[in-house]
Amino acid sequence: MLSVIVTGLAFAKEEKKEKAPAGVAPLWVEPTDLTSRDLFYGVGGKSLAPQLGASYAYVSADTTGHSKGYHVVGPDGRKWRIKLGDEAQSEIVVSRLLWAIGYYQPALYYVEDWKLTGHDAGAVKPGRFRLSSDHATEGEWAFDKNPFVGTRELHGLIAANLLLNNWDLAASNNRIYRVKAKHEAKLYYVAQDIGGALGATGLPIGSRNKIEDFERQEYVRGVEHGRVKFDYHGRHRGLLEDITPADVAWVCGLLARLSDQQLHDAFRAADYQPAVADRYIAKIKEKIAQGVALNATSEVPR
């Protein structure tokens, strides 16, 4: 089973198709199949999707973070972490987009029809299912303390999160995954809990999964001294200080290669209403275009 899961998480592709510098390979691998990636099922594909309508056995409650959730075991023995609440949908979309452009992501699914046994038994609300039985974790990592500090790929990851208005860039949301493939354990740096997005950034916290908030916030405010000034109002402004126009143009160039169908599939995977998804996609494409434009100029009008 593990070899199947590893392939599903796209780790096997790294060994065959890696074009990234060796130093950033645990964070990002060039997505040579970017335009054909399935953003409905995501990195895990259809084969790893949880069984709809099935009963999942309660292991423990997850009381950390903003959203209520559970650790459960499915009927096939696989372990999942379920997240309920307003960030379940947004996390699916952000994860799909990050994976599409080459960043490692766990297998995530939005499941509407499922049952819980052993505790709070019965039918429950739709939730985000994250597969946890395919890897171990080696602790947290911070955006400003890791092996990739100063690289285009790390700056691109931050810029992509900012484009999607993920305001919570705390180290507690990131994990180092240990995955065994071909008798060798490898480490991967994953931006894991990314549901604080698709709303507006703010202090002390922003909003999540609110289209009206997302639409009214911009992306890039300007460029000063060769560094991008973002329309970001969260707690982690220090992480933005060294991001260049080239960094933003690079990651937005990757996002620009996604088709309308792929973008719609990402929102469909999280069960967004079509009219709401259309509004999100329009704003995302507007921001992508703004980022790509940084490739042609060193300054952006205020």
Side-chain angles (χ1 to χ4, degrees):
M1 175 64 74
L2 184 57
S3 61
V4 174
I5 293 174
V6 168
T7 301
L9 285 172
F11 297 142
K13 291 181 180 179
E14 176 205 358
E15 298 172 0
K16 296 180 180 180
K17 298 183 178 181
E18 180 187 337
K19 295 183 179 180
V24 300
L27 176 73
W28 179 85
V29 170
E30 183 174 348
T32 57
D33 58 346
L34 189 156
T35 57
S36 62
R37 288 197 166 184
D38 180 355
L39 269 62
F40 180 74
Y41 284 109
V43 61
K46 185 176 181 179
S47 64
L48 295 185
Q51 183 178 340
L52 297 179
S55 294
Y56 292 81
Y58 173 90
V59 175
S60 64
D62 189 342
T63 58
T64 60
H66 168 74
S67 299
K68 176 183 177 182
Y70 302 100
H71 295 275
V72 302
V73 177
D76 57 2
R78 289 185 293 160
K79 298 176 182 179
W80 300 87
R81 179 188 167 184
I82 300 172
K83 178 184 288 185
L84 308 176
D86 57 0
E87 58 183 344
Q89 286 181 297
S90 54
E91 185 169 339
I92 294 290
V93 174
V94 177
S95 178
R96 292 289 191 272
L97 296 180
L98 292 183
W99 168 69
I101 60 174
Y103 293 99
Y104 294 110
Q105 283 294 295
L108 295 182
Y109 301 90
Y110 189 76
V111 182
E112 295 182 79
D113 181 16
W114 65 283
K115 297 178 177 63
L116 184 67
T117 60
H119 185 83
D120 293 338
V124 293
K125 296 180 180 179
R128 180 231 65 193
F129 279 53
R130 183 177 72 219
L131 188 62
S132 59
S133 56
D134 63 333
H135 64 270
T137 56
E138 298 287 323
E140 303 173 356
W141 65 277
F143 281 112
D144 58 351
K145 294 180 181 179
N146 60 74
F148 322 107
V149 170
T151 65
R152 176 189 67 178
E153 290 75 18
L154 180 66
H155 289 169
L157 176 58
I158 296 171
N161 275 281
L162 296 178
L163 187 148
L164 298 166
N165 286 9
N166 181 9
W167 49 267
D168 192 0
L169 303 177
S172 58
N173 292 326
N174 298 337
R175 294 291 185 276
I176 301 172
Y177 282 22
R178 179 178 291 275
V179 178
K180 187 175 181 181
K182 295 183 178 179
H183 309 293
E184 179 184 5
K186 291 191 175 185
L187 299 181
Y188 299 92
Y189 286 71
V190 180
Q192 178 182 266
D193 292 311
I194 45 183
L198 299 184
T201 64
L203 284 171
I205 62 173
S207 61
R208 304 168 175 86
N209 200 19
K210 292 186 178 180
I211 180 58
E212 295 82 5
D213 289 356
F214 188 76
E215 287 177 321
R216 70 167 179 257
Q217 187 167 349
E218 298 307 316
Y219 184 33
V220 174
R221 298 178 60 192
V223 177
E224 293 181 1
H225 308 298
R227 298 296 183 265
V228 178
K229 300 300 179 182
F230 294 94
D231 187 17
Y232 173 79
H233 310 281
R235 296 174 293 169
H236 311 285
R237 299 181 191 183
L239 300 177
L240 285 54
E241 294 177 352
D242 294 326
I243 299 177
T244 68
D247 295 329
V248 178
W250 171 75
V251 78
C252 286
L254 291 173
L255 288 166
R257 293 172 57 195
L258 293 171
S259 67
D260 285 351
Q261 184 61 58
Q262 286 175 301
L263 293 173
H264 279 93
D265 283 347
F267 282 90
R268 189 166 60 91
D271 196 39
Y272 280 85
Q273 292 297 314
V276 175
D278 288 343
R279 292 169 64 184
Y280 269 118
I281 291 168
K283 185 66 177 182
I284 288 171
K285 291 175 70 173
E286 175 187 310
K287 289 183 170 185
I288 291 172
Q290 188 180 25
V292 170
L294 291 176
N295 206 30
T297 180
S298 60
E299 298 291 332
V300 176
R302 293 183 177 280

Short mmCIF file of all heavy atoms in Angstrom, two decimals, residues 157-198:
data_model
loop_
_atom_site.label_atom_id
_atom_site.label_comp_id
_atom_site.label_asym_id
_atom_site.label_seq_id
_atom_site.Cartn_x
_atom_site.Cartn_y
_atom_site.Cartn_z
N LEU A 157 6.49 30.15 -2.89
CA LEU A 157 5.49 29.52 -2.04
C LEU A 157 4.79 30.58 -1.18
O LEU A 157 3.56 30.56 -1.03
CB LEU A 157 6.14 28.46 -1.16
CG LEU A 157 5.25 27.76 -0.14
CD1 LEU A 157 4.08 27.07 -0.81
CD2 LEU A 157 6.06 26.77 0.69
N ILE A 158 5.55 31.49 -0.63
CA ILE A 158 4.95 32.56 0.17
C ILE A 158 4.07 33.43 -0.71
O ILE A 158 2.93 33.76 -0.35
CB ILE A 158 6.04 33.40 0.85
CG1 ILE A 158 6.83 32.54 1.85
CG2 ILE A 158 5.43 34.61 1.55
CD1 ILE A 158 8.07 33.23 2.40
N ALA A 159 4.56 33.78 -1.89
CA ALA A 159 3.79 34.65 -2.80
C ALA A 159 2.50 33.98 -3.24
O ALA A 159 1.47 34.65 -3.40
CB ALA A 159 4.64 35.02 -4.00
N ALA A 160 2.53 32.67 -3.47
CA ALA A 160 1.31 31.96 -3.86
C ALA A 160 0.29 31.97 -2.73
O ALA A 160 -0.92 32.14 -2.96
CB ALA A 160 1.65 30.53 -4.26
N ASN A 161 0.75 31.79 -1.49
CA ASN A 161 -0.16 31.86 -0.35
C ASN A 161 -0.75 33.26 -0.21
O ASN A 161 -1.94 33.40 0.12
CB ASN A 161 0.58 31.46 0.92
CG ASN A 161 0.60 29.96 1.15
OD1 ASN A 161 -0.38 29.39 1.61
ND2 ASN A 161 1.70 29.32 0.81
N LEU A 162 0.05 34.27 -0.47
CA LEU A 162 -0.46 35.64 -0.38
C LEU A 162 -1.50 35.91 -1.47
O LEU A 162 -2.49 36.61 -1.23
CB LEU A 162 0.69 36.63 -0.51
CG LEU A 162 1.75 36.59 0.61
CD1 LEU A 162 2.84 37.60 0.32
CD2 LEU A 162 1.12 36.85 1.96
N LEU A 163 -1.29 35.36 -2.65
CA LEU A 163 -2.26 35.53 -3.73
C LEU A 163 -3.62 34.98 -3.32
O LEU A 163 -4.67 35.52 -3.69
CB LEU A 163 -1.73 34.85 -5.00
CG LEU A 163 -2.52 35.05 -6.29
CD1 LEU A 163 -1.58 35.04 -7.49
CD2 LEU A 163 -3.60 33.99 -6.47
N LEU A 164 -3.60 33.90 -2.54
CA LEU A 164 -4.84 33.26 -2.11
C LEU A 164 -5.30 33.77 -0.74
O LEU A 164 -6.22 33.22 -0.14
CB LEU A 164 -4.63 31.74 -2.07
CG LEU A 164 -4.29 31.14 -3.45
CD1 LEU A 164 -3.77 29.72 -3.31
CD2 LEU A 164 -5.50 31.18 -4.37
N ASN A 165 -4.66 34.86 -0.29
CA ASN A 165 -5.02 35.51 0.99
C ASN A 165 -4.92 34.56 2.18
O ASN A 165 -5.74 34.64 3.11
CB ASN A 165 -6.40 36.15 0.92
CG ASN A 165 -6.43 37.42 0.11
OD1 ASN A 165 -5.44 37.75 -0.55
ND2 ASN A 165 -7.53 38.13 0.13
N ASN A 166 -3.92 33.70 2.16
CA ASN A 166 -3.64 32.91 3.36
C ASN A 166 -2.87 33.81 4.33
O ASN A 166 -1.70 34.12 4.11
CB ASN A 166 -2.81 31.68 3.02
CG ASN A 166 -2.53 30.82 4.25
OD1 ASN A 166 -3.07 31.05 5.33
ND2 ASN A 166 -1.66 29.84 4.09
N TRP A 167 -3.53 34.23 5.38
CA TRP A 167 -2.94 35.20 6.31
C TRP A 167 -2.17 34.53 7.44
O TRP A 167 -1.43 35.19 8.16
CB TRP A 167 -4.03 36.09 6.90
CG TRP A 167 -5.21 35.33 7.44
CD1 TRP A 167 -6.36 35.04 6.76
CD2 TRP A 167 -5.35 34.76 8.74
NE1 TRP A 167 -7.22 34.32 7.56
CE2 TRP A 167 -6.62 34.13 8.79
CE3 TRP A 167 -4.54 34.72 9.87
CZ2 TRP A 167 -7.08 33.47 9.92
CZ3 TRP A 167 -5.00 34.06 11.00
CH2 TRP A 167 -6.27 33.45 11.02
N ASP A 168 -2.34 33.22 7.61
CA ASP A 168 -1.72 32.53 8.75
C ASP A 168 -0.50 31.74 8.28
O ASP A 168 -0.61 30.56 7.92
CB ASP A 168 -2.73 31.63 9.43
CG ASP A 168 -2.24 31.11 10.78
OD1 ASP A 168 -1.10 31.47 11.16
OD2 ASP A 168 -2.98 30.38 11.44
N LEU A 169 0.66 32.38 8.30
CA LEU A 169 1.88 31.76 7.82
C LEU A 169 2.77 31.31 8.98
O LEU A 169 3.99 31.26 8.87
CB LEU A 169 2.65 32.75 6.93
CG LEU A 169 1.86 33.28 5.72
CD1 LEU A 169 2.69 34.31 4.96
CD2 LEU A 169 1.42 32.15 4.80
N ALA A 170 2.14 30.93 10.08
CA ALA A 170 2.87 30.51 11.27
C ALA A 170 3.56 29.16 11.05
O ALA A 170 3.07 28.30 10.30
CB ALA A 170 1.92 30.40 12.46
N ALA A 171 4.68 28.97 11.75
CA ALA A 171 5.41 27.70 11.66
C ALA A 171 4.56 26.52 12.11
O ALA A 171 4.75 25.39 11.64
CB ALA A 171 6.68 27.79 12.49
N SER A 172 3.62 26.76 13.00
CA SER A 172 2.79 25.67 13.51
C SER A 172 1.90 25.05 12.44
O SER A 172 1.34 23.97 12.64
CB SER A 172 1.92 26.17 14.67
OG SER A 172 1.10 27.25 14.25
N ASN A 173 1.77 25.71 11.30
CA ASN A 173 0.97 25.17 10.20
C ASN A 173 1.79 24.35 9.21
O ASN A 173 1.22 23.77 8.28
CB ASN A 173 0.28 26.31 9.44
CG ASN A 173 -0.79 26.98 10.27
OD1 ASN A 173 -1.45 26.33 11.07
ND2 ASN A 173 -0.95 28.28 10.11
N ASN A 174 3.10 24.32 9.38
CA ASN A 174 3.98 23.61 8.45
C ASN A 174 4.53 22.35 9.10
O ASN A 174 4.81 22.33 10.30
CB ASN A 174 5.15 24.50 8.04
CG ASN A 174 4.72 25.75 7.30
OD1 ASN A 174 3.63 25.79 6.73
ND2 ASN A 174 5.56 26.77 7.31
N ARG A 175 4.73 21.31 8.31
CA ARG A 175 5.26 20.06 8.81
C ARG A 175 6.34 19.51 7.87
O ARG A 175 6.28 19.70 6.66
CB ARG A 175 4.15 19.00 8.95
CG ARG A 175 3.10 19.31 9.99
CD ARG A 175 3.66 19.21 11.39
NE ARG A 175 2.62 19.39 12.40
CZ ARG A 175 2.20 20.56 12.84
NH1 ARG A 175 2.71 21.67 12.34
NH2 ARG A 175 1.26 20.63 13.77
N ILE A 176 7.28 18.81 8.48
CA ILE A 176 8.25 18.03 7.72
C ILE A 176 7.75 16.60 7.67
O ILE A 176 7.53 15.98 8.71
CB ILE A 176 9.65 18.08 8.36
CG1 ILE A 176 10.13 19.53 8.46
CG2 ILE A 176 10.63 17.25 7.55
CD1 ILE A 176 11.42 19.67 9.25
N TYR A 177 7.52 16.09 6.47
CA TYR A 177 7.04 14.72 6.31
C TYR A 177 8.21 13.78 6.07
O TYR A 177 9.13 14.10 5.32
CB TYR A 177 6.11 14.62 5.09
CG TYR A 177 4.71 15.13 5.28
CD1 TYR A 177 4.40 16.04 6.29
CD2 TYR A 177 3.68 14.72 4.44
CE1 TYR A 177 3.12 16.52 6.45
CE2 TYR A 177 2.40 15.19 4.59
CZ TYR A 177 2.11 16.09 5.60
OH TYR A 177 0.84 16.57 5.75
N ARG A 178 8.14 12.62 6.69
CA ARG A 178 9.09 11.55 6.41
C ARG A 178 8.32 10.45 5.67
O ARG A 178 7.37 9.87 6.21
CB ARG A 178 9.71 11.00 7.68
CG ARG A 178 10.70 9.85 7.44
CD ARG A 178 11.34 9.35 8.72
NE ARG A 178 12.25 10.34 9.28
CZ ARG A 178 13.52 10.47 8.91
NH1 ARG A 178 14.03 9.67 7.98
NH2 ARG A 178 14.28 11.39 9.47
N VAL A 179 8.74 10.18 4.46
CA VAL A 179 8.06 9.21 3.60
C VAL A 179 9.06 8.15 3.16
O VAL A 179 10.17 8.48 2.73
CB VAL A 179 7.44 9.89 2.37
CG1 VAL A 179 6.78 8.85 1.47
CG2 VAL A 179 6.42 10.94 2.79
N LYS A 180 8.68 6.91 3.30
CA LYS A 180 9.56 5.81 2.89
C LYS A 180 9.22 5.39 1.47
O LYS A 180 8.09 5.05 1.17
CB LYS A 180 9.41 4.62 3.85
CG LYS A 180 10.41 3.51 3.59
CD LYS A 180 10.30 2.41 4.63
CE LYS A 180 11.31 1.30 4.39
NZ LYS A 180 11.20 0.22 5.39
N ALA A 181 10.22 5.43 0.61
CA ALA A 181 10.04 5.00 -0.78
C ALA A 181 11.27 4.20 -1.19
O ALA A 181 12.40 4.66 -1.03
CB ALA A 181 9.86 6.20 -1.70
N LYS A 182 11.05 3.01 -1.71
CA LYS A 182 12.13 2.15 -2.16
C LYS A 182 13.18 1.96 -1.06
O LYS A 182 14.37 2.11 -1.28
CB LYS A 182 12.77 2.71 -3.43
CG LYS A 182 11.83 2.74 -4.62
CD LYS A 182 12.51 3.24 -5.87
CE LYS A 182 11.57 3.21 -7.06
NZ LYS A 182 12.22 3.72 -8.30
N HIS A 183 12.68 1.67 0.13
CA HIS A 183 13.52 1.35 1.29
C HIS A 183 14.37 2.53 1.76
O HIS A 183 15.34 2.35 2.48
CB HIS A 183 14.44 0.15 0.97
CG HIS A 183 13.71 -1.02 0.42
ND1 HIS A 183 12.81 -1.76 1.18
CD2 HIS A 183 13.70 -1.57 -0.82
CE1 HIS A 183 12.31 -2.72 0.42
NE2 HIS A 183 12.83 -2.63 -0.79
N GLU A 184 14.01 3.73 1.33
CA GLU A 184 14.75 4.91 1.76
C GLU A 184 13.77 5.97 2.25
O GLU A 184 12.80 6.30 1.57
CB GLU A 184 15.57 5.48 0.59
CG GLU A 184 16.35 6.73 0.95
CD GLU A 184 17.07 7.31 -0.25
OE1 GLU A 184 16.89 6.78 -1.37
OE2 GLU A 184 17.79 8.31 -0.08
N ALA A 185 14.01 6.49 3.43
CA ALA A 185 13.15 7.53 3.98
C ALA A 185 13.60 8.89 3.46
O ALA A 185 14.80 9.21 3.48
CB ALA A 185 13.17 7.50 5.50
N LYS A 186 12.66 9.68 2.99
CA LYS A 186 12.97 11.02 2.51
C LYS A 186 12.13 12.04 3.26
O LYS A 186 11.02 11.75 3.70
CB LYS A 186 12.70 11.13 1.01
CG LYS A 186 13.66 10.31 0.15
CD LYS A 186 13.51 10.66 -1.31
CE LYS A 186 14.55 9.95 -2.15
NZ LYS A 186 14.51 10.37 -3.57
N LEU A 187 12.68 13.25 3.38
CA LEU A 187 11.99 14.33 4.07
C LEU A 187 11.45 15.32 3.05
O LEU A 187 12.12 15.66 2.07
CB LEU A 187 12.94 15.04 5.03
CG LEU A 187 13.54 14.20 6.16
CD1 LEU A 187 14.43 15.08 7.04
CD2 LEU A 187 12.45 13.54 7.00
N TYR A 188 10.23 15.80 3.31
CA TYR A 188 9.59 16.79 2.45
C TYR A 188 9.01 17.90 3.32
O TYR A 188 8.42 17.62 4.38
CB TYR A 188 8.48 16.14 1.62
CG TYR A 188 9.01 15.06 0.71
CD1 TYR A 188 9.04 13.72 1.12
CD2 TYR A 188 9.51 15.37 -0.54
CE1 TYR A 188 9.56 12.73 0.29
CE2 TYR A 188 10.03 14.38 -1.38
CZ TYR A 188 10.05 13.07 -0.95
OH TYR A 188 10.57 12.10 -1.76
N TYR A 189 9.18 19.11 2.88
CA TYR A 189 8.72 20.28 3.61
C TYR A 189 7.37 20.70 3.05
O TYR A 189 7.26 21.08 1.88
CB TYR A 189 9.74 21.41 3.49
CG TYR A 189 10.98 21.17 4.33
CD1 TYR A 189 11.90 20.18 3.97
CD2 TYR A 189 11.23 21.90 5.48
CE1 TYR A 189 13.03 19.94 4.73
CE2 TYR A 189 12.36 21.68 6.25
CZ TYR A 189 13.25 20.70 5.87
OH TYR A 189 14.37 20.46 6.64
N VAL A 190 6.35 20.62 3.90
CA VAL A 190 4.97 20.79 3.45
C VAL A 190 4.30 21.94 4.18
O VAL A 190 4.33 22.00 5.42
CB VAL A 190 4.16 19.49 3.70
CG1 VAL A 190 2.72 19.65 3.24
CG2 VAL A 190 4.83 18.31 3.00
N ALA A 191 3.72 22.86 3.44
CA ALA A 191 2.82 23.86 4.01
C ALA A 191 1.49 23.15 4.18
O ALA A 191 0.74 22.98 3.22
CB ALA A 191 2.70 25.07 3.09
N GLN A 192 1.20 22.72 5.38
CA GLN A 192 0.15 21.72 5.60
C GLN A 192 -1.23 22.32 5.91
O GLN A 192 -2.21 22.01 5.24
CB GLN A 192 0.57 20.80 6.75
CG GLN A 192 -0.46 19.75 7.11
CD GLN A 192 -0.01 18.90 8.27
OE1 GLN A 192 0.57 17.84 8.09
NE2 GLN A 192 -0.26 19.35 9.50
N ASP A 193 -1.33 23.16 6.94
CA ASP A 193 -2.63 23.70 7.34
C ASP A 193 -2.80 25.07 6.71
O ASP A 193 -2.33 26.09 7.24
CB ASP A 193 -2.72 23.78 8.86
CG ASP A 193 -2.76 22.40 9.49
OD1 ASP A 193 -3.58 21.57 9.03
OD2 ASP A 193 -1.99 22.14 10.42
N ILE A 194 -3.46 25.12 5.58
CA ILE A 194 -3.49 26.31 4.74
C ILE A 194 -4.93 26.77 4.49
O ILE A 194 -5.22 27.41 3.49
CB ILE A 194 -2.77 26.04 3.40
CG1 ILE A 194 -3.19 24.69 2.81
CG2 ILE A 194 -1.26 26.08 3.60
CD1 ILE A 194 -2.48 24.32 1.53
N GLY A 195 -5.81 26.48 5.46
CA GLY A 195 -7.21 26.85 5.29
C GLY A 195 -7.55 28.27 5.66
O GLY A 195 -8.66 28.74 5.39
N GLY A 196 -6.60 29.01 6.27
CA GLY A 196 -6.86 30.40 6.62
C GLY A 196 -6.73 31.29 5.42
O GLY A 196 -5.95 32.26 5.41
N ALA A 197 -7.51 31.02 4.40
CA ALA A 197 -7.35 31.65 3.09
C ALA A 197 -8.71 31.89 2.45
O ALA A 197 -9.76 31.56 3.00
CB ALA A 197 -6.50 30.76 2.19
N LEU A 198 -8.66 32.50 1.26
CA LEU A 198 -9.86 32.79 0.46
C LEU A 198 -10.83 33.71 1.19
O LEU A 198 -12.04 33.66 0.95
CB LEU A 198 -10.54 31.50 0.00
CG LEU A 198 -9.70 30.58 -0.88
CD1 LEU A 198 -10.53 29.39 -1.35
CD2 LEU A 198 -9.11 31.31 -2.07
#
